[in-house]
Amino acid sequence: AIMAGHIMQPAYARHFNPQIPDQDIMPATLSPELIQGLLREMLGFNGMVLTDASHMVGLTCRMKRSDVLPAAIAAGVDMFLFFNEMDEDFESMKQGYLDGRITEERLSDALHRILALKAHMGLHKKAPAQQMPPRAQVHEIIGCKEHLDMQKEISDKSITLVKYKDPEVLPLTPERYKRIMIVYVKGLEAPGLGAIFGKNKVSPAEKLKEKLAAKGFDVFLYESPIAKLMKEMEAGGKPDLNVYFAGKTAISEFVEKQDLIITLVDIAGGFQPVARPAFGMTKGGGEIPWYVHELPVIVIGTKQPFVLADIPQARTYINTYDVLDSTFDALVEKLMTGAEAFTGCDPVDAYCGMW
């Protein structure tokens, strides 16, 4: 089976239907050009096609839900991910069949693929439900030494030194850079599953701090003037706002406080509407690395590899792709070894098409 995303591919749509007007170019889930033309004919895929979540705005913004359901089936989709309300959605599908939007041939085609996949998986055999193995038994398999060794190897080989304009920055040693400030930059966040799953976990900045401290560095996390202001106000204090919004730290004083700065950018993944870093509003604060020519600065992107689009001034930029312990262990080892330790190749255009 293949899950079709609610994404438009205008060039492919026009390839299979040169006369198609702009307003008729649909997301793949509603596009016969992409499902039938590209996926079925050009790529020769004959399995089941499943929608991505049927509530996503990439799909629902194109037409009423009662029209979306039969239109997707007519376009070549065989199965839906998530009902809204089962009886109502089923009636919309049924109406599409009764009024001819879903042909007999298309309906039969979809049902055959669904039933064939179920048969291939043996779901038509009424075997007794299997009990899950005990947790201890599961852990003997998942997370076994072979898996952990593989995880370490993946971390070691994937971390990428994308940009290295100041070759003298690496390696990091306590003798060269005893005092390291970590600036933790998060993304724009919306309440939802991403916030729920991320609760009560040690932040990547704290994790990196601990690992560097264990190697002999004096590491501290940057606290923005706004965060300090909020703490003071919550404690009942009456801070002088002019100090926070007008006062600036002398560059010489800023430079004297640390030997190197790591900007750690941790942008959440699929549950967020915008995958971009969110910087504080302070002028002269430390959130945005305005100081790349004042101090050695290493910018590290964790989950999203496209941070350079928002921090193009970064002169040393690394992608780790995740925040696992094994990855941060490998990262610290590479930082302390030098640029030659980074063997990963950039699998995407981290420069985002920019020079």
Side-chain angles (χ1 to χ4, degrees), residues 174-191:
E175 293 73 30
R176 298 185 71 201
Y177 309 109
K178 182 66 174 176
R179 301 164 302 164
I180 296 178
M181 179 171 76
I182 297 178
V183 179
Y184 187 39
V185 178
K186 300 182 73 177
L188 300 168
E189 293 187 357

Side-chain angles (χ1 to χ4, degrees), residues 67-235:
D67 292 327
V68 158
L69 301 174
I73 298 170
V77 168
D78 304 310
M79 181 181 279
F80 275 81
L81 177 63
F82 303 144
F83 276 114
N84 184 57
E85 198 285 319
M86 188 179 292
D87 292 336
E88 183 181 58
D89 280 357
F90 182 75
E91 281 301 315
S92 296
M93 294 179 183
K94 183 179 177 182
Q95 185 56 45
Y97 170 70
L98 294 174
D99 64 23
R101 282 177 290 174
I102 300 172
T103 65
E104 188 75 35
E105 181 184 15
R106 177 76 273 275
L107 182 64
S108 176
D109 189 41
L111 289 173
H112 272 85
R113 287 200 173 91
I114 293 169
L115 293 172
L117 183 58
K118 287 183 175 182
H120 177 72
M121 297 172 69
L123 300 183
H124 60 300
K125 299 173 183 175
K126 294 184 178 180
Q130 291 185 340
Q131 295 293 320
M132 282 289 290
R135 174 171 285 199
Q137 187 178 334
V138 171
H139 282 300
E140 289 177 7
I141 304 169
I142 300 173
C144 64
K145 184 179 183 302
E146 182 184 358
H147 290 173
L148 295 177
D149 289 344
M150 189 186 303
Q151 183 184 53
K152 289 179 181 178
E153 182 182 3
I154 291 169
S155 293
D156 179 65
K157 290 184 176 179
S158 62
I159 297 173
T160 311
L161 180 61
V162 177
K163 186 178 180 184
Y164 194 42
K165 299 278 281 186
D166 297 324
E168 72 278 3
V169 170
L170 297 177
L172 268 60
T173 65
E175 293 73 30
R176 298 185 71 201
Y177 309 109
K178 182 66 174 176
R179 301 164 302 164
I180 296 178
M181 179 171 76
I182 297 178
V183 179
Y184 187 39
V185 178
K186 300 182 73 177
L188 300 168
E189 293 187 357
L193 293 176
I196 294 171
F197 293 149
K199 271 190 174 181
N200 301 321
K201 292 182 179 178
V202 176
S203 78
E206 288 283 359
K207 185 185 295 187
L208 184 59
K209 175 187 172 182
E210 291 173 6
K211 292 183 182 298
L212 287 169
K215 298 291 187 179
F217 295 94
D218 293 337
V219 191
F220 63 98
L221 300 185
Y222 169 80
E223 186 176 29
S224 75
I226 294 294
K228 292 178 183 176
L229 174 66
M230 290 176 66
K231 280 184 182 178
E232 200 170 333
M233 293 176 72
E234 287 170 0

Side-chain angles (χ1 to χ4, degrees), residues 304-316:
Q304 295 287 348
F306 302 108
V307 174
L308 273 177
D310 292 287
I311 313 180
Q313 71 270 34
R315 299 181 64 77
T316 300

Side-chain angles (χ1 to χ4, degrees), residues 236-248:
K238 294 183 179 179
D240 181 358
L241 297 184
N242 289 323
V243 173
Y244 289 94
F245 291 104
K248 303 290 185 293

